[in-house]
Amino acid sequence: MYNLKQFLRLFVYSILFWTLAFFLFIFIRFVAYGEEQEAIHSVSDNTSDIFSWLHFGVILGVLIGTVYSVIEFLFEKLITKNIYLGLAIFLKTIIYLVLLVFSFLFIINLAEIEMDIDLVNDISWWLNNGIFWVVISYFFIASLVFQFVKLANEKFGRGVLFNMISGKYRKPIEEERLFMFIDLKSSTTLAEKLGHYKYSQLLQDCFFDLNRIIGRYNAEVYQYVGDEAVLSWNYNKGIKNRRCIDLYFDFQKLLVKRSNYYLKNYEIEPFFKAGIHGGKLIVTEVGTLKKELAYHGDVINTTSRIQEACNKYNQSLLISENILKDLNLKSKYKSEKIGDLLLKGKKDKLKIYGIHEI
């Protein structure tokens, strides 16, 4: 679910993508062929024509990019949750195809006026024009690439696909990361009360609401494990402006805001507890089938143990001492020392603190 920041990012990326796609087409048309070619009907192959078509490329990039980002926003906001992925892709593909046809008709008519050339003989010329449909096919394939990249970013997380393609994590790399383990409170009791099917729907709704806000705080979803979500940040990004803390409390506020929905459908008000910890660990690719990025190190196990301690100490959010030192809680939150956590296989205890909103 997009917020304003995510929509603006999609808007900019979409315009850049479609502008570059059109520039690539112009490059192929005027440079890569190496000889005079017929574009729609007849266009002289000279420098002024190239710059004119590049100008139209910018217009086309802004036009299609704007409409694409609006369509993606509306689908995520109103439609995607209620239909399956294949149908969503099919509907968007049909819309994009129609959009491409009308966009090119607009650009061609504009080119006739500004470049003083005759490209159109009759109102339905494009129906039987082979060159026109070659151009449409090129940009239709580009739209599929656009959707693939978007789906890949949603599946793996922003930037992960590029890192995997470039082989950045083919060999283990040490990074400093911040993690949040966030878990549904009293999950066993709720599962028994609701039954497996209804309980699964509850988790879907809760994680859908969580996804509505994680982009706002630059968080990445590492994985979902049953009724638990594992979120991750680059360490400095997670600490900056208390993003990791703000995300948790904003998620709780969103659940409270939607309490009527949850009471109506499940007769409960879901509540999540969380643990936050961070430090250096290893990031690497694992597997050949269903390949993914994996994090290896004590940081993961420690964060999980901190989250588990929420039940023991009756706390909603626990963090480690080193995270508290790096955070600037200011007057919005207060910390409370809870105790020492003895980790399995470790001699030293870890101090943990509860965080409360003032």
Side-chain angles (χ1 to χ4, degrees), residues 183-195 199 202-203 226-228 271-273 307 311:
D183 182 74
L184 180 63
K185 187 176 181 180
S186 305
S187 56
T188 303
T189 302
L190 290 176
E192 291 177 353
K193 176 183 176 181
L194 297 173
Y199 179 67
L202 170 66
L203 291 178
D227 56 5
E228 181 178 74
F271 185 86
F272 281 76
K273 56 189 186 298
Q307 185 274 127
N311 287 336

Side-chain angles (χ1 to χ4, degrees), residues 212-344:
R212 293 172 63 183
I213 66 170
I214 58 175
R216 191 181 307 164
Y217 300 101
N218 292 105
E220 302 168 12
V221 178
Y222 172 39
Q223 56 186 197
Y224 298 102
V225 184
D227 56 5
E228 181 178 74
V230 182
L231 307 183
S232 175
W233 292 263
N234 168 280
Y235 189 87
N236 291 329
K237 287 184 178 179
I239 293 297
K240 184 179 179 181
N241 298 324
R242 308 171 304 279
R243 284 173 176 159
C244 57
I245 304 297
D246 287 346
L247 184 151
Y248 173 79
F249 285 103
D250 277 5
F251 178 47
Q252 298 292 20
K253 290 175 183 177
L254 179 58
L255 292 177
V256 171
K257 183 179 179 180
R258 283 174 43 82
S259 61
N260 289 336
Y261 169 83
Y262 285 104
L263 287 171
K264 178 182 178 181
N265 289 276
Y266 306 106
E267 298 181 350
I268 62 106
E269 295 182 70
F271 185 86
F272 281 76
K273 56 189 186 298
I276 300 176
H277 181 57
K280 293 183 178 180
L281 76 171
I282 297 298
V283 189
T284 187
E285 291 182 18
V286 294
T288 52
L289 298 176
K290 204 178 182 301
K291 182 180 293 187
E292 64 179 20
L293 292 185
Y295 297 97
H296 300 146
D298 287 340
V299 171
I300 292 288
N301 296 329
T302 300
T303 311
S304 179
R305 290 290 305 279
I306 291 174
Q307 185 274 127
E308 291 171 358
C310 287
N311 287 336
K312 178 181 178 180
Y313 295 106
N314 193 28
Q315 295 288 320
S316 59
L317 176 61
L318 292 175
I319 67 173
S320 59
E321 184 178 39
N322 65 308
I323 300 300
L324 180 64
K325 289 179 179 179
D326 290 337
L327 283 171
N328 181 13
L329 295 181
K330 293 187 176 181
S331 58
K332 188 176 181 180
Y333 304 104
K334 66 176 182 179
S335 62
E336 173 190 3
K337 184 177 180 181
I338 299 301
D340 298 326
L341 186 64
L342 181 61
L343 302 175
K344 185 177 181 180

Side-chain angles (χ1 to χ4, degrees), residues 2 6-7 9-21 61 64-73 89 92-93 96 99-100 138-154 161:
Y2 292 125
Q6 290 172 296
F7 173 74
R9 184 187 297 121
L10 174 67
F11 177 73
V12 173
Y13 287 168
S14 182
I15 289 177
L16 289 175
F17 175 88
W18 286 106
T19 302
L20 289 174
I64 296 181
T66 299
V67 178
Y68 265 55
S69 55
V70 170
I71 291 173
E72 292 291 339
F73 174 80
I89 294 175
K92 284 191 283 188
T93 299
Y96 292 155
L99 167 67
L100 285 171
Y138 167 83
F139 282 94
F140 180 69
I141 293 173
S143 73
L144 295 180
V145 172
F146 180 86
Q147 290 192 69
F148 169 78
V149 173
K150 179 178 177 295
L151 287 172
N153 277 331
E154 291 174 352
L161 177 64

Side-chain angles (χ1 to χ4, degrees), residues 63-124:
L63 176 64
I64 296 181
T66 299
V67 178
Y68 265 55
S69 55
V70 170
I71 291 173
E72 292 291 339
F73 174 80
L74 292 176
F75 262 78
E76 291 293 330
K77 189 82 172 176
L78 305 172
I79 300 175
T80 300
K81 185 185 176 183
N82 300 315
I83 61 176
Y84 57 88
L85 179 61
L87 180 58
I89 294 175
F90 174 77
L91 291 176
K92 284 191 283 188
T93 299
I94 297 300
I95 294 172
Y96 292 155
L97 180 59
V98 174
L99 167 67
L100 285 171
V101 170
F102 280 98
S103 296
F104 276 102
L105 290 175
F106 170 77
I107 288 295
I108 289 169
N109 288 327
L110 186 64
E112 280 192 302
I113 298 172
E114 293 199 12
M115 298 175 65
D116 193 24
I117 55 178
D118 183 19
L119 299 175
V120 182
N121 293 324
D122 57 76
I123 193 169
S124 61

Side-chain angles (χ1 to χ4, degrees), residues 18-84:
W18 286 106
T19 302
L20 289 174
F22 195 88
F23 282 4
L24 177 61
F25 181 80
I26 294 298
F27 174 81
I28 295 172
R29 159 65 181 86
F30 285 97
V31 180
Y33 282 3
E35 60 184 31
E36 189 67 19
Q37 299 290 328
E38 182 183 23
I40 314 300
H41 275 203
S42 176
V43 182
S44 59
D45 193 7
N46 54 47
T47 302
S48 62
D49 284 339
I50 294 177
F51 283 107
S52 296
W53 284 109
L54 289 178
H55 168 67
F56 296 136
V58 175
I59 296 175
L60 190 66
V62 173
L63 176 64
I64 296 181
T66 299
V67 178
Y68 265 55
S69 55
V70 170
I71 291 173
E72 292 291 339
F73 174 80
L74 292 176
F75 262 78
E76 291 293 330
K77 189 82 172 176
L78 305 172
I79 300 175
T80 300
K81 185 185 176 183
N82 300 315
I83 61 176
Y84 57 88

